[in-house]
Amino acid sequence: VDGDLCTLTVQIWHRCAADPMVHMQVLDLVSCCVSTEKRLQRSMEECLLPVVHADLQSTDAHLASSAMELFGVLLKHSDVPFAEAILSCARLLLAKAMQSDESMMLQNACETLVSLVQRSPPQGGDLLEPLLRFAERLLGPDLEDDACLYVGPLAMLLFANYGRMLPVQLQVGLLQALVLRLARAERPYLRQELVVVFARLLHEDLNGS
């Protein structure tokens, strides 16, 4: 039964690529399946990760953004340490996000990367360089507030998990970028999230911060 359900899910995902409402329903179905039973979760991964891998390389912004959402659902319930198939998709996600100016895509990317680092900090450390580049891009002047709403939690995780690995100069640069982004921010939610980063840093004993 699980094999038939996974195959049907992939078929619906492909056939309705241009319909965001159907994609949302598929995401709900996948979320329910992967959180219910371990065998079904693994079957869903086996069938859907190749779809994610392919769609993350698509030039269609909607398809790539939807793939990020689907990947986020799978990643939240995947076995830790993550399999190479998960990490391969994470690398594609980072590459796609670095090329995009789409606010929703960047939000999806950031949320998924936060989940990855939270669930497996050592494997997040293997992606530290591209994660730092992504955070730097979100904090830069070229993106609207909507594109970087979730950069605060990502930045906090980078400090909390990898602060001791970062040269002092790099830590200072990241803090300066956070300050400048806070000064430019117009969205109350973004300002709040960035203020939380500074508040937490003041209460944590992070090397060099």
Side-chain angles (χ1 to χ4, degrees), residues 69 117 128-129 137 158 188 196:
E69 288 187 272
V117 175
L128 183 55
E129 184 177 344
R137 182 162 189 262
L158 294 178
V196 167

Side-chain angles (χ1 to χ4, degrees), residues 96-184:
K96 177 63 71 174
M98 289 297 291
Q99 300 168 2
S100 176
D101 294 322
E102 294 283 338
S103 294
M104 187 57 66
M105 180 184 292
L106 292 172
Q107 288 178 25
N108 291 336
C110 200
E111 283 191 292
T112 301
L113 293 169
V114 164
S115 180
L116 185 150
V117 175
Q118 285 176 330
R119 297 202 62 220
S120 185
Q123 290 178 294
D126 294 337
L127 299 170
L128 183 55
E129 184 177 344
L131 283 170
L132 287 169
R133 288 199 303 268
F134 180 55
E136 180 183 24
R137 182 162 189 262
L138 292 180
L139 292 169
D142 298 330
L143 297 174
E144 299 179 353
D145 281 4
D146 285 346
C148 54
L149 287 180
Y150 307 123
V151 69
L154 178 61
M156 189 63 238
L157 283 170
L158 294 178
F159 275 116
N161 289 290
Y162 316 118
R164 293 177 179 82
M165 300 168 59
L166 302 179
V168 172
Q169 185 177 4
L170 188 54
Q171 293 183 47
V172 171
L174 186 54
L175 285 170
Q176 289 175 337
L178 284 163
V179 170
L180 292 173
R181 184 79 241 191
L182 177 60
R184 290 192 306 270

Side-chain angles (χ1 to χ4, degrees), residues 9 25 33 43 47 49 56 62 76 84 92-93 111 124 134 136 148-149 156 159 164-165 174 176 183 195 209:
T9 302
Q25 292 173 341
C33 290
S43 294
C47 287
L49 280 176
L56 284 174
H62 166 70
K76 286 178 182 177
E84 176 55 32
L92 284 175
L93 180 150
E111 283 191 292
F134 180 55
E136 180 183 24
C148 54
L149 287 180
M156 189 63 238
F159 275 116
R164 293 177 179 82
M165 300 168 59
L174 186 54
Q176 289 175 337
V195 167
S209 62

Side-chain angles (χ1 to χ4, degrees), residues 20-64:
M21 293 303 297
V22 174
H23 267 193
M24 288 178 61
Q25 292 173 341
V26 173
L27 289 171
D28 288 342
L29 172 64
V30 173
S31 180
C32 180
C33 290
V34 297
S35 62
T36 299
E37 203 272 327
K38 181 57 68 174
R39 188 180 69 177
L40 185 55
Q41 175 258 322
R42 290 172 178 163
S43 294
M44 281 286 179
E45 269 193 25
E46 184 179 340
C47 287
L48 291 174
L49 280 176
V51 176
V52 170
H53 194 278
D55 288 355
L56 284 174
Q57 299 176 79
S58 172
T59 57
D60 185 312
H62 166 70
L63 197 59

